[in-house]
Amino acid sequence: MKKTLLPILLIVGVAAGASAQNKTVPGKTDIIQQEYLQFEQVPNSLYILPTPPEYNSVQFLNDQYQYYWGRGMRKGERGEKAVTDATLDGLEGMNNAFGEVFGTEITRENTPELFLLLRSIGRDAGGFAPKVAKNHYMRVRPFVFFNDTTSTPQYDDHLRSSGSYPSGHSSYGWAAALILVEINPEHQNEIIKRGYEIGESRKIVGAHFESDIQAGRVMGAATVAALHANEAFQKQLAKAKEEFARMKKAGKIKPSTAELQWK
């Protein structure tokens, strides 16, 4: 059964030191992840981001328009993808999100070093990065504001009791995309597009306003910058790059479809 990113957001606590430690995720005894940043080392979303749009503002008119646009996209292939994008955690989440555009399956068996890296940054980018602003503003989710439901109703009860601004999924997805591009720059166009779509999916399912998503991308990028100053992250990133280089040399990475379109 697939797991959601939401448990990561719920279990965030005090981090370990700068040196990474392999730890079993609570409730998921078969999944190991590393801890990179201490909570105070993650960019402060409350300090960095502007306040969310007031409900009588022009910015909120765009949030409203984007909400109804997203609701209209729920049926069909794009709507199905948005539901899948709600699940970034677990054994299949990152592969479902990025495996195709990265050029190979991102799994514990196929790419163990990359799998570990992407799982581990979820705590910092998806949990810590949006936390302070989320808890401060406790912005009402759009589906609650519009007296609606999401297309992921199994998560609605939790979403009702948590802040909407900024989007943790958007932050995590954008951070993962930036790191994947660093590892596989030849696929940068497809990877960045997918990172963008993960945020857009939060609007389609009805879990976030457009302004939540934009703020989430800012926090994702800021977290990647902070991670690059962390020695443990740098070591694991180097392992993932070496793993990718071996796979590419062995012909196990599919060519970039975006690159082919340029020719």
Side-chain angles (χ1 to χ4, degrees):
M1 180 180 296
K2 295 179 181 178
K3 302 292 184 181
T4 175
L5 174 64
L6 297 178
I8 286 182
L9 308 185
L10 293 172
I11 65 173
V12 168
V14 178
S19 59
Q21 303 177 30
N22 289 346
K23 291 193 174 183
T24 302
V25 180
K28 304 173 186 177
T29 57
D30 60 340
I31 300 178
I32 303 298
Q33 71 181 34
Q34 295 176 333
E35 295 182 348
Y36 299 132
L37 301 175
Q38 295 181 0
F39 180 69
E40 61 270 20
Q41 294 174 317
V42 177
N44 186 331
S45 54
L46 183 60
Y47 180 82
I48 293 170
L49 299 174
T51 59
E54 298 289 342
Y55 294 124
N56 61 350
S57 67
V58 173
Q59 292 90 339
F60 184 72
L61 289 177
N62 182 59
D63 274 348
Q64 184 175 12
Y65 166 79
Q66 294 291 338
Y67 175 78
Y68 284 114
W69 173 88
R71 201 179 192 289
M73 297 292 290
R74 291 185 189 179
K75 294 182 179 179
E77 183 177 352
R78 185 63 185 91
E80 293 173 0
K81 173 60 74 173
V83 171
T84 301
D85 284 344
T87 309
L88 297 181
D89 196 15
L91 294 176
E92 300 177 0
M94 275 294 156
N95 185 52
N96 290 336
F98 289 105
E100 182 177 354
V101 297
F102 188 71
T104 191
E105 289 188 345
I106 302 173
T107 64
R108 187 168 52 181
E109 296 73 25
N110 189 49
T111 57
E113 301 296 352
L114 179 58
F115 178 83
L116 175 59
L117 180 69
L118 293 182
R119 275 204 53 79
S120 300
I121 68 164
R123 168 182 165 277
D124 298 328
F128 283 169
K131 184 177 182 180
V132 181
K134 268 182 175 290
N135 291 347
H136 178 81
Y137 294 116
M138 283 301 294
R139 189 184 194 190
V140 174
R141 302 272 181 170
F143 78 96
V144 177
F145 182 87
F146 292 109
N147 194 28
D148 201 352
T149 60
T150 70
S151 51
T152 54
Q154 66 271 35
Y155 307 137
D156 284 6
D157 286 345
H158 168 75
L159 293 174
R160 287 190 183 93
S161 62
S162 64
S164 187
Y165 180 89
S167 165
H169 279 74
S170 303
S171 178
Y172 186 16
W174 195 244
L178 294 176
I179 291 168
L180 287 171
V181 165
E182 184 172 349
I183 296 169
N184 185 4
E186 292 181 4
H187 286 219
Q188 65 177 350
N189 294 317
E190 304 104 303
I191 293 170
I192 291 296
K193 182 179 180 181
R194 276 300 292 138
Y196 182 89
E197 288 173 349
I198 287 170
E200 194 174 58
S201 289
R202 303 306 290 158
K203 176 172 55 182
I204 293 173
V205 300
H208 284 286
F209 290 109
E210 173 68 17
S211 52
D212 303 335
I213 295 161
Q214 293 175 2
R217 293 182 185 127
V218 170
M219 293 313 303
T223 303
V224 170
L227 284 166
H228 274 81
N230 178 270
E231 182 179 356
F233 169 81
Q234 291 173 359
K235 289 181 178 179
Q236 188 59 35
L237 177 62
K239 290 180 180 180
K241 288 181 176 180
E242 291 170 1
E243 177 181 74
F244 173 77
R246 291 193 301 269
M247 296 183 70
K248 185 177 180 182
K249 186 176 181 179
K252 296 181 179 180
I253 305 297
K254 296 178 182 178
S256 166
T257 56
E259 181 183 9
L260 293 174
Q261 290 173 9
W262 282 102
K263 296 181 178 178

